[in-house]
Amino acid sequence: SNLKSPKADIQLIEKEPRPSGDNEKWVDKISNCNVYSHFQNLVNAIIGFHGQFSKGKYIENFSKVSLPLSEILRLLDEERPPSDVMVATISGVIQTQFDELRKKKSGRSRLDDFSRGLVACQKCLTTFITELQAGIRKFEQINARRRAVSAVL
C-alpha cells in the first residue's frame, strides 16, 4: 500500500503556524477555555497509540484521522466557531476510525495495551469535543450579550 505513517502529518498539524492578522480567533475571545490543551492531549494520545501499534493494517485508519485533526485546527483558527453539525461530523469520522481500529485487532498479543491506548484516545476525543462545544456555547453567549448591549446603546 502507498499509505505513509500519519505520525508525520499529525506532528506537522501540531506545528502549523497560527495565522496572524487583524482577525482574532473565536477561541481567544473566551476566558477559561481549554480547547487547545484538550486538542493537544488528543493528538498526543493518538501519536502515542500509533507509536505502539504501527502495523500496516492500522496505518490506513491512523491516516484517516490526520485529515479531520487538521480540519479541527483550521476551525479553531477561524473568526467564528464551527457549527454543531460540523463538530459532530468531524467527531464521528474520528470515532469511526477508532471503531475500525478495534475491528482490525486480532489475536491476544498486547490486547490490553491496545485496549488501553484506544480507550485513552476515545476519552481524549470525548473530552476535547465536550470542551469545544462548551467553548462554542460561551462564544455565542458573549455575542448575544454584545448584540443586546449594542441594541440598547
Side-chain angles (χ1 to χ4, degrees), residues 19-97:
S20 60
D22 298 336
N23 302 333
E24 188 179 6
K25 296 180 286 262
W26 71 271
V27 174
D28 295 339
K29 296 178 183 178
I30 303 166
S31 60
N32 300 322
C33 184
N34 296 315
V35 171
Y36 281 118
S37 65
H38 288 298
F39 178 75
Q40 186 66 52
N41 292 343
L42 172 60
V43 170
N44 289 341
I46 292 169
I47 289 172
F49 185 55
H50 175 264
Q52 286 187 305
F53 296 92
S54 56
K55 280 186 178 178
K57 67 180 177 180
Y58 304 127
I59 294 292
E60 180 180 4
N61 301 100
F62 282 116
S63 293
K64 288 180 181 177
V65 168
S66 65
L67 184 60
L69 289 176
S70 81
E71 180 64 12
I72 288 170
L73 193 58
R74 187 189 67 74
L75 293 171
L76 293 178
D77 285 339
E78 297 285 323
E79 286 181 67
R80 302 213 30 91
S83 69
D84 289 334
V85 172
M86 177 65 78
V87 171
T89 301
I90 291 172
S91 174
V93 168
I94 295 171
Q95 185 57 51
T96 298
Q97 294 313 310

Side-chain angles (χ1 to χ4, degrees), residues 76-143:
L76 293 178
D77 285 339
E78 297 285 323
E79 286 181 67
R80 302 213 30 91
S83 69
D84 289 334
V85 172
M86 177 65 78
V87 171
T89 301
I90 291 172
S91 174
V93 168
I94 295 171
Q95 185 57 51
T96 298
Q97 294 313 310
F98 291 160
D99 293 344
E100 291 298 315
L101 281 165
R102 180 181 291 113
K103 288 178 191 173
K104 287 183 178 179
K105 177 65 177 143
S106 57
R108 301 177 63 97
S109 172
R110 300 180 60 210
L111 185 59
D112 288 344
D113 290 340
F114 185 89
S115 296
R116 265 193 300 279
L118 191 55
V119 167
C121 289
Q122 290 171 317
K123 283 182 179 178
C124 286
L125 176 63
T126 300
T127 302
F128 168 70
I129 295 298
T130 301
E131 185 71 17
L132 180 59
Q133 290 169 329
I136 292 168
R137 285 191 297 278
K138 284 181 193 174
F139 179 86
E140 296 303 336
Q141 289 169 350
I142 291 167
N143 275 353

